[in-house]
Amino acid sequence: MTRYWLEHAWLRDGVVNAVLVEERDGRFAEVVPNVRIAPPDAIVLRGLVLPGLANAHSHAFHRALRRRTHGDGGTFWTWRERMYAIAGRLTPDSYRQLATAVYAEMAAAGISCVGEFHYLHHQPDGQPYAEPNAMGLALVEAAAAAGIRVTLLDTCYLAGGLNSEGHLALDGPQIRFGDGTATAWQTRVERMAPGGATPLDGHARLGAAIHSVRAIPRDQLPVVAAAAGRNALPLHVHLSEQPAENEATIGHYGHTPTELLASADALGPHTTAVHAIHLSERDIDLLGSSRTAICACPITESDLADGIGPFPALQRAGSPLCLGSDQHVEIDLLGEARRLEQHERLASGRRGTFAPDDLLRFATEAGHHALGWADAGRIEPGARADLAAIDLASVRTAGAEPAQIVMCAAAADVTDVIIDGRPVVRDRQHRLGDPGRLLAEAIGAL
């Protein structure tokens, strides 16, 4: 049993001062507000303490591209070629090293759980490793080393693209992404399910993903959706990130990507659509009425010139919102939350579409729910004991009201992080050392 005294804490009713929490076996046992003097046996956390943040969409290997793709401008599609080049170089060992560093950077930013959208499955020539899930298990091991939880969103990726003529064959680095059929993907993935040959450890959960309707032919979509439902796995999918995806899907199928997913029974409260930028009114209604969650990644979406999504309309229609750092231009969930509101201000000419409490909820409870950890993201009895302390006296936060801290705080303001009751970051020091050094070593090796 460990007790923590929180100078300020964000609870269900907002910011509360002087909160004493008791942790037992990795969960909050008691949460007592207005304890004016810290007990002598309590660990004191200064500043504003949040529940651990949840990063609902990550591609760990994209971190190697940070600020290396801007010299010649280009588009999303030219950026993608640089991404494929990195994808072709990784091995289970180098991926474990890189992902450990990336997840340590996340933990230092207050993130307690990550959804890893994973499609680097096989050897560069497309042949399986001796352990068919060697790359996915490397990610699980990396998360354990960095001290965070992970939902491994194992991704079905069968085609190299889509145009009006149909789906293209996998080519070049894409070859290692593919399992041939959705049934073969399912067979490989179920090795990691409970009772399989290589079940995941307790800090990790299995999820499923449809890369996109560009990458999976229509007749294969129901197989992935049914496998996710049968195994009670969260299902994630890239959706309408670029207009070209919509144009190709309508050109070939006569339906939008959202309509195609709906026809495959791939939408619903256990599904999260990532990006969802270029949507029709019917798309919004299909997503909202099915209670499909939406993961916005506004920093990546601005970096790749994706556009500004109709997130307020999606929320009004019934879709919960959460956040991800995607290609890791920055790993800063508070910044992602703030950018969501700022983008809407630019689009609408109004301030305050999303209140600070809304933004914090997207970055905490909603993200955990989308990743299958419904018992996390809240500071209350019975929830997982995740805490992230934010400095209220930095150059960014000094003078701010604690209740509005999401509008100014950054990852650099996170001082202490507790995950499942275990200290992972203390006084801005990750338990593995400096994440910057780890990242430099891992990226330098590539």
Side-chain angles (χ1 to χ4, degrees):
M1 185 270 287
T2 305
R3 296 207 290 178
Y4 295 92
W5 186 83
L6 317 179
E7 185 177 21
H8 309 281
W10 184 69
L11 307 181
R12 277 203 180 274
D13 295 328
V15 174
V16 177
N17 300 330
V19 177
L20 182 67
V21 299
E22 186 175 291
E23 173 269 323
R24 295 178 190 161
D25 299 322
R27 294 184 180 270
F28 295 121
E30 291 189 61
V31 178
V32 184
N34 301 312
V35 178
R36 295 301 173 184
I37 300 175
D41 65 333
I43 297 172
V44 174
L45 296 181
R46 296 288 178 186
L48 174 64
V49 181
L50 305 175
L53 309 177
N55 185 355
H57 189 67
S58 162
H59 300 290
F61 77 95
H62 290 191
R63 175 61 182 81
L65 293 174
R66 182 184 291 180
R67 301 303 180 230
R68 298 180 66 89
T69 63
H70 298 269
D72 53 2
T75 66
F76 168 89
W77 305 102
T78 55
W79 168 87
R80 191 176 69 157
E81 295 305 314
R82 300 288 296 276
M83 179 268 287
Y84 284 157
I86 290 290
R89 298 179 187 178
L90 289 161
T91 66
D93 287 341
S94 63
Y95 204 9
R96 184 185 303 105
Q97 181 187 13
L98 176 59
T100 298
V102 175
Y103 295 156
E105 182 183 2
M106 288 186 194
I111 293 166
S112 59
C113 185
V114 58
E116 184 61 38
F117 201 100
H118 166 58
Y119 51 82
L120 278 174
H121 300 310
H122 305 299
Q123 298 182 63
D125 63 358
Q127 292 300 307
Y129 289 98
E131 165 48 63
N133 290 305
M135 294 293 271
L137 294 174
L139 292 165
V140 171
E141 292 164 6
I148 71 173
R149 295 189 300 275
V150 62
T151 297
L152 186 69
L153 298 162
D154 196 288
T155 304
C156 189
Y157 197 133
L158 304 177
L162 176 66
N163 59 30
S164 60
E165 305 298 317
H167 286 273
L168 309 177
L170 296 172
D171 186 45
Q174 294 176 326
I175 290 172
R176 72 185 309 186
F177 305 165
D179 288 294
T181 66
T183 300
W185 164 84
Q186 176 185 334
T187 299
R188 179 181 55 74
V189 170
E190 288 181 347
R191 288 173 56 88
M192 296 183 287
T198 53
L200 301 186
D201 295 333
H203 75 288
R205 289 186 178 170
L206 187 60
I210 293 167
H211 179 272
S212 60
V213 298
R214 290 183 291 108
I216 303 185
R218 181 179 192 169
D219 65 334
Q220 301 289 294
L221 292 172
V223 179
V224 181
R230 186 167 54 253
N231 292 285
L233 305 180
L235 176 65
H236 287 223
V237 55
H238 290 134
L239 179 64
S240 294
E241 181 176 3
Q242 286 278 325
E245 177 182 322
N246 291 0
E247 293 161 6
T249 309
I250 293 169
H252 183 63
Y253 289 112
H255 297 287
T256 67
T258 301
E259 291 169 341
L260 209 62
L261 292 169
S263 71
D265 291 327
L267 302 181
H270 298 294
T271 298
T272 298
V274 182
H275 302 305
I277 300 291
H278 303 282
L279 303 178
S280 68
E281 290 186 9
R282 173 165 167 73
D283 292 340
I284 293 170
D285 180 64
L286 285 170
L287 292 163
S289 62
S290 64
R291 300 298 185 263
T292 298
I294 305 298
C295 181
C297 307
I299 294 177
T300 286
E301 289 153 9
S302 61
D303 181 75
L304 295 180
D306 290 336
I308 298 172
F311 301 121
L314 284 161
Q315 185 182 47
R316 288 193 298 270
S319 288
L321 303 183
C322 58
L323 297 164
S325 64
D326 194 1
Q327 59 151 332
H328 313 311
V329 178
E330 301 172 25
I331 294 179
D332 185 351
L333 260 289
L334 298 172
E336 298 282 358
R338 180 164 59 252
R339 192 75 65 91
L340 186 70
E341 164 63 14
Q342 290 172 338
H343 282 183
E344 185 56 28
R345 291 181 184 189
L346 291 172
S348 69
R350 298 188 304 274
R351 303 174 84 215
T353 296
F354 300 116
D357 273 3
D358 295 330
L359 299 175
L360 288 177
R361 196 166 297 108
F362 302 159
T364 55
E365 185 175 6
H368 282 102
H369 191 274
L371 296 176
W373 303 85
D375 57 350
R378 306 176 302 280
I379 302 176
E380 62 182 39
R384 289 178 175 270
D386 299 342
L387 299 170
I390 311 297
D391 186 358
L392 294 179
S394 77
V395 293
R396 289 166 293 276
T397 62
E401 291 186 10
Q404 298 184 33
I405 205 67
V406 69
M407 301 309 297
C408 61
D413 298 315
V414 175
T415 61
D416 297 89
V417 180
I418 313 297
I419 301 176
D420 285 331
R422 296 185 296 271
V424 177
V425 177
R426 291 291 286 159
D427 297 326
R428 291 188 169 89
Q429 298 298 310
H430 190 278
R431 68 185 193 183
L432 294 180
D434 177 18
R437 175 183 57 79
L438 298 175
L439 288 160
E441 292 173 354
I443 295 170
L446 294 175

